[in-house]
């Protein structure tokens, strides 16, 4: 059976890792998987999907408002008509409705979707309206957590939607060895935050909390794992709060090396302003054993 998995980008992120785990499971079950990425991609992440046994189609479209969405719709309809997948599984990130509509227009027999994010701080009633319309065009909608399902649908587990939690390979994290990072000593109290360095992840909340904790815990260090477009903003904030010497920037870390970073942490902080199911929380708990 031929399954097309559509996703806006293949970057180094928790949602892409969760989608990769789904692809690995489908390939091991004997499905013929093609992953269609519309926009940005990271070569390393593309390679991981290919090593999992999936074909990867990189459309390299541009984010260009309504014009760009119309072009993407036409491109996806063309892809589906040409390849005739039995199933299209949409990773529902903006513009999530476009691939669902394209699959409908192409006469795809089964359409599924997975939504990864939720929260009033990130999504308005307009987002919910578009989501409900999109959901009506699918055969089943999967959510990564009950709170995500309740946020979007108002109820849990019906014939049209249900929850399948994100999962992690417990042994992979539990059996890892702590790494050594310059700027962190064995006696330091380490609070870690892992993920894209962007404002929605709440690094600012963590930094302000650290400012208040410093008088009581002078050996406190914050290990920031990841990179992103707002790093300069947070570096400047750390300077304003006079906590620069307490912040250790690990930068981009490949998923295979994450367990060693978790092992170095005493506490993992997840102050996200909105989140569906924080995969890093599950990973860190597995590492803590």
């Amino acid at each position: 059976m031929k399954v097309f998995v559509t996703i806006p980008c293949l970057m180094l992120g928790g949602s892409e890792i969760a989608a990769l785990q789904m692809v690995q499971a489908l390939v091991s079950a004997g499905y013929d998987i093609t992953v269609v990425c519309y926009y940005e991609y990271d070569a390393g992440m593309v390679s991981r999907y290919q090593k999992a046994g999936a074909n990867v189609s990189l459309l390299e479209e541009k984010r260009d408002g309504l014009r760009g969405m119309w072009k993407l719709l036409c491109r996806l309809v063309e892809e589906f008509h040409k390849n005739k997948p039995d199933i299209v599984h949409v990773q529902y990130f903006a513009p999530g409705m476009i691939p669902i509509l394209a699959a409908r227009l192409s006469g795809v027999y089964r359409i599924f979707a997975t939504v990864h994010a939720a929260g009033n701080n990130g999504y308005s009633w307009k987002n919910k309206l578009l989501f409900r319309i999109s959901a009506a065009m699918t055969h089943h909608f999967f959510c990564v957590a009950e709170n995500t399902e309740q946020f979007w649908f108002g109820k849990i587990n019906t014939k049209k939607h249900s929850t399948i939690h994100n999962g992690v390979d417990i042994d992979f994290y539990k059996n890892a060895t702590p790494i050594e990072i310059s700027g962190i000593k064995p006696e330091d109290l380490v609070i870690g935050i892992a993920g894209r360095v962007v404002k929605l992840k709440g690094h600012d909340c963590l930094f302000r909390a650290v400012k208040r904790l410093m008088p009581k815990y002078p050996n406190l260090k914050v290990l920031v794992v990841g990179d992103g477009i707002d790093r300069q903003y947070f570096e400047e904030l750390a300077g304003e709060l006079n906590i620069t010497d307490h912040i250790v920037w690990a930068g981009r870390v490949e998923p295979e090396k994450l367990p060693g970073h978790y092992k170095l942490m005493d506490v993992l902080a997840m102050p996200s302003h909105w989140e569906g199911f924080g995969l890093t929380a599950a990973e860190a708990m597995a590492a803590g054993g």
Side-chain angles (χ1 to χ4, degrees):
M1 186 172 287
K2 188 183 294 186
V3 179
F4 270 44
V5 177
T6 71
I7 190 166
C9 56
L10 286 176
M11 303 301 289
L12 197 62
S15 297
E16 288 91 333
I17 293 295
L20 174 60
Q21 293 171 342
M22 182 192 74
V23 166
Q24 291 170 330
L26 291 172
V27 169
S28 67
Y31 291 91
D32 178 4
I33 306 296
T34 296
V35 177
V36 181
C37 172
Y38 337 137
Y39 301 131
E40 307 86 3
Y41 63 90
D42 173 84
M45 188 59 72
V46 171
S47 178
R48 289 182 181 90
Y49 275 79
Q50 291 171 330
K51 288 178 180 177
N55 304 305
V56 179
S57 175
L58 302 172
L59 302 187
E60 299 188 77
E61 293 291 331
K62 303 297 182 184
R63 298 181 187 268
D64 188 22
L66 291 176
R67 179 183 175 183
M69 285 190 279
W70 173 254
K71 189 177 178 184
L72 175 61
L73 176 65
C74 295
R75 187 80 181 276
L76 287 172
V77 168
E78 181 183 344
E79 283 279 317
F80 298 153
H81 269 307
K82 180 175 67 176
N83 295 285
K84 295 181 170 51
D86 300 291
I87 295 172
V88 168
H89 191 131
V90 177
Q91 301 302 303
Y92 196 93
F93 313 102
M97 179 184 283
I98 298 299
I100 293 174
L101 183 58
R104 276 288 185 187
L105 293 173
S106 304
V108 176
Y109 183 62
R110 285 283 184 267
I111 304 169
F112 300 113
T114 296
V115 62
H116 296 259
N120 288 320
N121 288 337
Y123 301 98
S124 67
W125 66 268
K126 293 180 181 178
N127 298 117
K128 285 191 174 183
L129 176 61
L130 289 173
F131 181 90
R132 293 290 183 90
I133 295 171
S134 300
M137 292 189 286
T138 67
H139 286 82
H140 200 85
F141 224 107
F142 300 103
C143 305
V144 298
E146 284 90 348
N147 71 297
T148 307
E149 187 177 2
Q150 198 159 21
F151 175 80
W152 289 111
F153 292 102
K155 57 181 71 174
I156 296 176
N157 293 338
T158 74
K159 292 182 179 179
K160 287 287 290 182
H161 54 82
S162 56
T163 291
I164 299 179
H165 297 104
N166 285 333
V168 298
D169 182 344
I170 294 176
D171 291 336
F172 176 67
Y173 291 93
K174 184 177 180 180
N175 298 327
T177 302
I179 64 168
E180 293 184 5
I181 293 182
S182 176
I184 294 181
K185 301 175 183 178
E187 64 270 22
D188 287 337
L189 173 64
V190 181
I191 299 178
I193 181 170
R196 288 176 296 142
V197 182
V198 293
K199 292 178 181 178
L200 75 88
K201 292 295 183 180
H203 294 69
D204 53 341
C205 296
L206 175 59
F207 285 10
R208 289 188 173 92
V210 167
K211 174 68 174 179
R212 297 180 66 179
L213 289 169
M214 276 172 46
K216 188 174 182 180
Y217 302 98
N219 64 329
L220 189 154
K221 293 292 177 68
V222 177
L223 177 60
V224 181
V225 178
D227 209 347
I229 60 174
D230 292 326
R231 174 165 171 169
Q232 183 178 347
Y233 166 80
F234 289 121
E235 288 178 339
E236 292 173 356
L237 177 62
E240 293 171 8
L241 295 171
N242 197 28
I243 61 170
T244 298
D245 292 341
H246 293 262
I247 310 297
V248 178
W249 301 90
R252 173 191 169 109
V253 175
E254 300 299 325
E256 295 79 8
K257 296 182 179 180
L258 265 177
H261 288 72
Y262 287 133
K263 286 288 188 178
L264 195 60
M265 302 173 188
D266 297 293
V267 177
L268 176 82
M270 281 200 65
S272 302
H273 294 295
W274 69 88
E275 194 82 58
F277 181 111
L279 194 60
T280 54
E283 292 170 347
M285 285 191 287

